[in-house]
Amino acid sequence: MKMDKRSWMLLEPDPIEWQLPDDLRARDQFKGADCGWVNQMRPFIQHYSKPGETVLDPFCGFATSLLAAGIEGRKSIGFELDENRVTISRERLARHQIEATVVAGCIEDYPAIASVDLCITNMPYFGCQWQPDTLSSSQLYRQPSYADYLRKAHTIFYQIKKILKPDSFFIVMVENLTLEGQLLPQAWDISRILSSLFIAREERLLCYQKPATTLPAYATETDRSHEYALIFQNTRQTVCLESTQKELERITQHGFHFSLIGSFAQWRDSSSKNQREPSDADIVIASDQQQLDALCHYFLGNGYMLSVWSGSIMAPISIQQLRGYHYLRAERIDLHGRRVSIDISLENTI
Ligand SMILES: C[S@@+](CC[C@H](N)C(=O)[O-])C[C@H]1O[C@@H](n2cnc3c(N)ncnc32)[C@H](O)[C@@H]1O
């Protein structure tokens, strides 16, 4: 299936030769219930990478994406924490005579791997009743709380950012969940975290054919026969230079003291305007709770969103908290889509 402009895709099940073979499936504790489809991965691999390039799957499970990469003539590397699945993956790939690297571990623990041209994965979902054969605290299937799950996902994505080539794509397949009758917006939350590190480009709805069953009146739960492919790019978003400059002047007029550092300062002070446009303005303020409170108040009153690690916050934030997060982001997008983004950090913490 080629990628077209339609925002949703109705996926065809894999032909038998690409499916996870029954004997390998039988060896998995979930009988491969969370195994994806080669047909789900192929159009994205075709579209967002070139033959001969390297595709990464940080949660490779049974190596479905590595198999799809091999079929498309790409090299690939996968990471998987469950040793049994690593063995299954290697056997599966060998049966297809596909050479790919399956690393037994979490990508976080391999900072030195070579850079890759595309990252594509099925997100391990939260709330899975995983019987650990590994005690790794990185296993996303066994995070004790949703907050732990999201925090761990954040640190893993951060590592991926470092090895994904500039301008390359990161495609994450993920769905929202219902757990104990409660909707868990996992797709939105993962998207928010990804947005803190990458530029969101698109979403695609992946639809799976399932027989429809009747929904009792007023019931809400669906069969979740769809998921999202969230398409992110490892690139920079620039700010509106003029609006940012004006805002910095306004903050000064309001009596706030700060020093401007980083790429915006360099851009502003440079005589040639040929250098890369900044993606934000970095300001440093004194470690003073009153000033921080006043600044947050100013931003909130002037149409800004405040966030730390892309999670919105409503002031107040304490000096101690801000030290832990390294910086607080104030972002404003106006009616014309002009973006001002100001990162606030404290003296002596950078
Ligand atoms: C949804 S499954 C992937 C299935 C895969 N897409 C396939 O079709 O073959 C998610 C996998 O991520 C693995 N996993 C979870 N956390 C991990 C981590 N931090 N590092 C590596 N693998 C992890 C789980 O063990 C699980 O096998």
Side-chain angles (χ1 to χ4, degrees):
M1 183 195 265
K2 286 243 182 256
M3 192 72 91
D4 58 27
K5 276 207 158 190
R6 198 164 49 183
S7 59
W8 56 272
M9 297 156 88
L10 182 60
L11 295 177
E12 294 291 330
D14 287 340
I16 188 95
E17 66 270 21
W18 290 348
Q19 289 174 16
L20 183 63
D22 287 345
D23 62 315
L24 297 184
R25 195 176 279 274
R27 281 163 36 191
D28 180 60
Q29 62 165 309
F30 288 141
K31 307 290 172 244
D34 51 345
C35 183
W37 292 358
V38 172
N39 275 344
Q40 173 194 5
M41 300 294 178
R42 278 186 74 194
F44 292 95
I45 292 173
Q46 265 175 24
H47 193 79
Y48 291 106
S49 68
K50 296 190 189 76
E53 289 188 339
T54 304
V55 174
L56 162 75
D57 185 343
F59 314 118
C60 81
F62 308 92
T64 306
S65 51
L66 310 194
L67 176 54
I71 292 168
E72 294 298 336
R74 274 71 167 165
K75 294 183 262 216
S76 62
I77 174 165
F79 287 79
E80 172 53 55
L81 271 176
D82 182 61
E83 301 231 352
N84 186 38
R85 289 188 171 188
V86 172
T87 311
I88 293 175
S89 287
R90 289 180 182 154
E91 263 187 66
R92 185 181 186 195
L93 291 164
R95 288 184 196 182
H96 289 275
Q97 294 171 332
I98 283 173
E99 273 183 43
T101 308
V102 182
V103 181
C106 173
I107 195 165
E108 262 192 305
D109 303 322
Y110 293 81
I113 69 158
S115 56
V116 298
D117 303 282
L118 169 67
C119 180
I120 187 164
T121 199
N122 261 313
M123 202 60 209
Y125 50 90
F126 175 68
C128 167
Q129 302 300 314
W130 185 255
Q131 297 300 316
D133 76 337
T134 160
L135 291 178
S136 170
S137 60
S138 297
Q139 174 55 263
L140 284 169
Y141 271 163
R142 61 184 286 269
Q143 294 300 314
S145 75
Y146 191 50
D148 289 308
Y149 169 86
L150 295 177
R151 267 197 288 271
K152 178 51 73 180
H154 186 281
T155 57
I156 294 174
F157 295 160
Y158 184 67
Q159 171 65 14
I160 291 170
K161 184 173 175 68
K162 291 197 234 160
I163 57 167
L164 191 57
K165 287 186 185 160
D167 297 330
S168 296
F169 286 86
F170 184 10
I171 297 163
V172 178
M173 321 241 170
V174 59
E175 60 181 304
N176 294 321
L177 297 175
T178 307
L179 206 58
E180 292 288 314
Q182 186 177 257
L183 182 89
L184 219 49
Q186 182 183 242
W188 313 144
D189 290 331
I190 289 294
S191 178
R192 179 177 53 75
I193 294 171
L194 286 164
S195 300
S196 68
L197 299 166
F198 305 93
I199 302 298
R201 290 293 181 212
E202 253 311 347
E203 83 211 4
R204 285 199 176 236
L205 202 58
L206 305 181
C207 303
Y208 300 86
Q209 216 39 290
K210 270 195 194 172
T213 49
T214 311
L215 183 70
Y218 300 107
T220 51
E221 205 168 330
T222 69
D223 63 359
R224 294 216 178 274
S225 47
H226 72 278
E227 63 182 329
Y228 298 92
L230 305 175
I231 301 169
F232 284 83
Q233 194 174 16
N234 190 21
T235 193
R236 309 160 67 249
Q237 195 164 32
T238 51
V239 282
C240 172
L241 300 167
E242 202 188 326
S243 311
T244 304
Q245 178 60 30
K246 274 194 190 139
E247 189 58 88
L248 293 172
E249 283 160 16
R250 245 192 319 262
I251 302 172
T252 310
Q253 283 155 18
H254 273 78
F256 293 110
H257 300 287
F258 61 87
S259 32
L260 181 65
I261 58 161
S263 57
F264 195 88
Q266 282 160 16
W267 177 86
R268 197 190 56 173
D269 300 340
S270 147
S271 49
S272 83
K273 293 287 178 220
N274 290 336
Q275 66 183 79
R276 270 199 337 168
E277 291 193 354
S279 55
D280 50 39
D282 298 295
I283 65 170
V284 183
I285 63 168
S287 286
D288 176 283
Q289 188 66 55
Q290 255 184 340
Q291 181 177 215
L292 177 62
D293 289 347
L295 198 55
C296 289
H297 187 73
Y298 168 85
F299 280 125
L300 288 171
N302 285 279
Y304 280 79
M305 287 177 285
L306 295 181
S307 62
V308 282
W309 291 1
S310 220
S312 340
I313 59 153
M314 301 302 279
I317 177 170
S318 71
I319 291 281
Q320 280 84 351
Q321 280 173 310
L322 183 48
R323 265 188 216 294
Y325 286 119
H326 304 299
Y327 67 88
L328 168 72
R329 173 162 296 173
E331 187 176 49
R332 179 175 197 270
I333 297 171
D334 74 11
L335 277 176
H336 306 284
R338 288 184 293 235
R339 197 172 77 92
V340 173
S341 180
I342 299 175
D343 287 351
I344 305 141
S345 52
L346 298 175
E347 263 172 11
N348 306 325
T349 54
I350 47 169

